[in-house]
Amino acid sequence: MKKNVAGQFVGAQMVATDSGTAFTSPVMVYVTGDNGSQAAASAAASATHKGNGWHSYAPTQAETNYTHAAFTFATTGAVPSRTTARTAALR
């Protein structure tokens, strides 16, 4: 992931807790940067379902301004999922 750059995407596969099938409803996204405190994502705070349980989120520029960023996808009725990214400055 490019550091301090908007217009990127992260995603996670979500599974329903009651059936084990693909979870297709909207989910919330939480961001943890550089091992700091977790906070609700600032860009609408929800991920978009793309199909078959895959959810996508576009972090803001500020949410990519870390050396290490963790994006946690969670909601009632789904098993939480996390995607982590190491960032690199543009050259």
Side-chain angles (χ1 to χ4, degrees):
M1 176 172 275
K2 297 172 189 164
K3 187 171 188 168
N4 203 27
V5 175
Q8 303 177 85
F9 296 91
V10 294
Q13 184 70 33
M14 301 299 292
V15 177
T17 56
D18 61 349
S19 65
T21 60
F23 187 82
T24 60
S25 297
V27 299
M28 298 298 291
V29 178
Y30 301 88
V31 181
T32 307
D34 293 336
N35 199 32
S37 297
Q38 189 177 74
S42 56
S46 67
T48 303
H49 179 250
K50 297 296 189 176
N52 296 309
W54 181 254
H55 289 72
S56 180
Y57 174 71
T60 64
Q61 180 177 349
E63 291 167 346
T64 67
N65 195 20
Y66 299 106
T67 300
H68 178 261
F71 300 90
T72 303
F73 294 69
T75 194
T76 302
V79 177
S81 183
R82 180 184 61 246
T83 298
T84 61
R86 284 264 188 217
T87 62
L90 292 174
R91 295 180 189 239

